Amino acid sequence: MTIIDVKVLDERMAAELPAYATPGSAGLDLRACLDAPLVLAPGQTHLIPTGLAIHIGDAGLAAMI
């Protein structure tokens, strides 16, 4: 079993934890933690804060402990 630890770094995100949007979703939806709208031009990159710290543990390592 993989253990996933989530630490809320920004209290605004406490109610917006990653979640499956639909029953058939392959992955969790992660929300941005922004103070103002952000528009990106095609090809432009920008680091987007999430207000969360996520650690995905190594299932193989947990079995050895």
Side-chain angles (χ1 to χ4, degrees):
M1 171 186 234
T2 301
I3 297 172
I4 300 174
D5 296 315
V6 177
K7 181 177 181 180
V8 177
L9 303 175
D10 187 314
E11 287 303 316
R12 295 177 295 171
M13 300 309 290
E16 298 292 335
L17 295 177
Y20 293 102
T22 60
S25 294
L28 300 167
D29 287 346
L30 183 63
R31 288 154 181 81
C33 183
L34 300 173
D35 293 322
L38 176 66
V39 177
L40 298 176
Q44 184 181 3
T45 61
H46 189 83
L47 291 176
I48 307 294
T50 63
L52 305 172
I54 299 173
H55 174 260
I56 301 173
D58 183 341
L61 180 61
M64 295 171 42
I65 296 176

